[in-house]
Amino acid sequence: LAASRAASLRRASESQVSSFALVGGASEVAEGIARYREVIGMTHLIARVQVPAAEPAEIEAALEGLAELSESL
């Protein structure tokens, strides 16, 4: 099942993914969070960094980036 989800994510277009996820560099993610705060009044964020087919180093880098970003929010 995990392999089929990973393949589906790889085939998904950027617009499909952006409809349910914030993906990108720190500034892009920060802009997405600001947009959600403004549009829907978001006050809490649940982050899922463990996605199918992600390497451990990628997951660790995503967590570190999110931690750095959270300090500036």
Side-chain angles (χ1 to χ4, degrees):
L1 182 61
S4 65
R5 277 190 275 161
S8 295
L9 282 174
R10 283 192 295 275
R11 288 192 305 268
S13 71
E14 185 176 325
S15 64
Q16 289 171 317
V17 172
S18 66
S19 70
F20 66 87
L22 296 174
V23 179
S27 63
E28 295 164 314
V29 172
E31 288 171 9
I33 291 170
R35 187 174 56 252
Y36 283 141
R37 284 180 166 171
E38 181 180 324
V39 173
I40 64 171
M42 181 183 81
T43 59
H44 293 77
L45 175 68
I46 298 173
R48 179 176 180 211
V49 297
Q50 293 181 318
V51 295
E55 297 292 328
E58 294 172 310
I59 295 168
E60 186 173 339
L63 285 169
E64 289 172 356
L66 188 57
E68 290 173 8
L69 181 62
S70 71
E71 294 172 1
S72 66
L73 296 176

